[in-house]
Amino acid sequence: MRRSLPFLIIIVVVLTALVAGMVLFHYRTRPLARAVYGRPGAEPSHIRGDATAPVQLEEFGDFECLPCSLVWPVLEKLEHDYGKRLCVVFREHPLKIHRYALDAARAAEAAGLQGRFWEMHEALYRNRNTWVPAEYIGPYFNDYATELGLDLDRFTADIQGEEVARRIAADQDRGESLGIDRTPVIYVNGEQVSVTAHNEKGLAEVIDKALGKSPGTSGTGQ
């Protein structure tokens, strides 16, 4: 028994390494509809596209952030180009240096409680140059809510409600667990994307790599 003990130990170590490798591979390749890195964030998360898509792009954004507003149309273009192969997740990460960022996040989440998060997301970025310099933003957000056909009384109540506050806090907690201190921050299948790649060409190359394709072969083919 003593002679065979070293061999048993080696076998156990090898099997442990194999199991660990298989688990790691599983989490690296599975669709990331639920976060497998960092703390979880708000659930259900805001997902556009098929949650089982082979590539998930997760953005931590701030509606007052200028670079975020520039990334917004790029992501919409990529969603169109990649179709069912890509899903996009948005996480609230309003920065304290922006005076209206938290208010805008609340407006988006309040719209989300009525099933119109992405529509408010678009309205906030599209009209950023209007509400950011305003002295009082309430009327602007109410106007967007009205245009989207929301129940305005519920919207104004939800903005200050516990559910909206809880969702934003959960997303911020997720961001803090990942060391995020700026916006936008983008992950593709759990790997953080360099700021220099926050453009259509750069993100397409990252997505193609995640799909196992050669750079430059992206497009509308499904």
Side-chain angles (χ1 to χ4, degrees), residues 42-69:
E43 291 292 348
S45 55
H46 296 301
I47 297 178
R48 187 150 61 182
D50 187 345
T52 64
V55 178
Q56 183 194 74
L57 185 152
E58 181 179 28
E59 177 196 5
F60 289 79
D62 171 322
F63 290 108
E64 191 171 334
C65 162
L66 177 59
C68 293
S69 70

Side-chain angles (χ1 to χ4, degrees), residues 9-86:
I9 293 174
I10 292 172
I11 291 171
V12 169
V13 170
V14 170
L15 288 175
T16 301
L18 287 172
V19 170
M22 291 173 65
V23 170
L24 178 61
F25 178 79
H26 171 72
Y27 281 113
R28 286 290 187 181
T29 58
R30 63 175 288 208
L32 299 174
R34 286 182 175 272
V36 295
Y37 53 100
R39 291 193 287 269
E43 291 292 348
S45 55
H46 296 301
I47 297 178
R48 187 150 61 182
D50 187 345
T52 64
V55 178
Q56 183 194 74
L57 185 152
E58 181 179 28
E59 177 196 5
F60 289 79
D62 171 322
F63 290 108
E64 191 171 334
C65 162
L66 177 59
C68 293
S69 70
L70 298 176
V71 165
W72 156 60
V74 172
L75 296 185
E76 286 202 329
K77 174 69 163 51
L78 291 170
E79 288 176 47
H80 174 269
D81 289 348
Y82 285 91
K84 294 181 180 180
R85 296 172 294 169
L86 173 69

Side-chain angles (χ1 to χ4, degrees), residues 134-154:
E135 289 301 317
Y136 183 60
I137 58 171
Y140 292 99
F141 293 169
N142 287 346
D143 285 347
Y144 306 151
T146 300
E147 291 171 5
L148 296 176
L150 302 183
D151 179 329
L152 192 57
D153 290 337
R154 179 185 174 187

Side-chain angles (χ1 to χ4, degrees), residues 184-202:
V185 171
I186 295 174
Y187 286 82
V188 171
N189 281 9
E191 297 291 338
Q192 187 171 340
V193 178
S194 169
V195 175
T196 59
H198 286 187
N199 52 70
E200 185 178 346
K201 181 177 182 293

